[in-house]
């Protein structure tokens, strides 16, 4: 299977509107970060999207993504779900309802904010047609086991996900011991690294590096980065097997 990083940026994206800093003015395309999301293309042709960022339309065009078979939501924050309306395109193309997965709280929030998109299909594809499904335990999807990984995002508990030996953990300030148990033997880990300094609801650079070294995936890629982290300077100070993610990065993993 192959994971594509659709967006590696934090809630503001990079460049930040109105910012004159070195990263925001950089000509290096790896410093252009849309809001945080990835998708996994399974070998059986199914595509699993993680979150629907406000940049989903632009990301789908950039990556020629024309079908989404399921969405895994990490949490309800605007930078992770406000692109939900752009799922309409995939419903329209494939004339299919798309199942969306999240914990109880996320699904409640999505139902409150986007109820119009959660109706049963009626041959009317001018709105997204989504089927909300609450998950708390590992579940089967397209022949794969998806394991939800509860992590703390400030005081709120959100979900990371593991599929085979790949795990995706964004917006995290603490990984509980039980969840660390679920992250053993990984080939690839995508991990939140917001900025240089720590933050109350996210790992900063030191915490992300420490956690990556504790989890010991064969390769760790940082995501959800602000303009505080210039691509080349960040990459130059990362230890072995830890890499700065970027928009368009593709990672292949054995299924
Ligand atoms: Zn976020
Ligand atoms: Zn900036
Ligand atoms: Zn968040």
């Amino acid at each position: 299977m192959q994971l594509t990083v659709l967006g590696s940026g934090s809630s503001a994206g990079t460049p930040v509107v109105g910012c004159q800093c070195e990263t925001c003015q950089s000509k290096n395309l790896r410093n252009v970060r849309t809001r945080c999301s990835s998708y996994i293309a399974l070998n059986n042709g199914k595509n699993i999207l993680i979150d629907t960022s406000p940049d989903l339309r632009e990301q789908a065009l950039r990556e020629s993504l024309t079908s989404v078979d399921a969405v895994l939501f990490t949490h309800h924050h605007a930078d992770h779900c406000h692109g939900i309306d752009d799922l309409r395109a995939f419903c329209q193309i494939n004339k299919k309802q798309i199942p969306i997965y999240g914990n109880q709280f996320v699904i409640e929030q999505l139902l409150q904010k986007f109820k119009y998109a959660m109706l049963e299909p009626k041959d009317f594809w001018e709105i997204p047609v989504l089927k909300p499904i609450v998950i708390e335990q590992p579940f089967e999807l397209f022949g794969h086991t998806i394991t939800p990984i509860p992590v703390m995002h400030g005081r709120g508990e959100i979900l990371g996900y593991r599929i085979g030996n790949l795990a995706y953990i964004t917006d995290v300030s603490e990984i509980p011991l039980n969840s660390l148990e679920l992250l053993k033997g990984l080939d690839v880990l995508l991990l939140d690294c917001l900025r240089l300094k720590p933050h109350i609801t996210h790992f900063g650079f030191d915490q992300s590096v420490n956690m990556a070294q504790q989890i010991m995936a064969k390769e760790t890629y940082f995501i959800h980065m602000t303009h505080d982290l210039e691509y080349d300077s960040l990459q130059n100070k990362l230890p072995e097997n830890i890499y700065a993610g970027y928009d368009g990065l593709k990672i292949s993993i054995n299924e």
Side-chain angles (χ1 to χ4, degrees), residues 166-169 183 186-191 212 215 217 219-221:
L166 162 79
Y168 183 96
I169 297 180
L183 296 170
L186 288 177
D187 289 331
V188 172
L189 169 66
L190 285 96
L191 184 65
I215 293 171
E219 295 170 4
T220 298
Y221 296 87

Side-chain angles (χ1 to χ4, degrees), residues 19 21 24 227:
C19 185
C21 81
C24 290
H227 59 159

Side-chain angles (χ1 to χ4, degrees), residues 139-158:
F139 62 102
E140 292 299 310
L141 186 60
F142 311 133
H144 290 260
T145 302
I146 313 279
T147 306
I149 314 279
V151 299
M152 299 309 294
H153 180 22
R155 283 190 296 178
E157 187 181 280
I158 71 159

Side-chain angles (χ1 to χ4, degrees), residues 75 77 79-80 153 171:
H75 65 306
H77 285 162
D79 52 327
H80 297 264
H153 180 22
D171 293 53

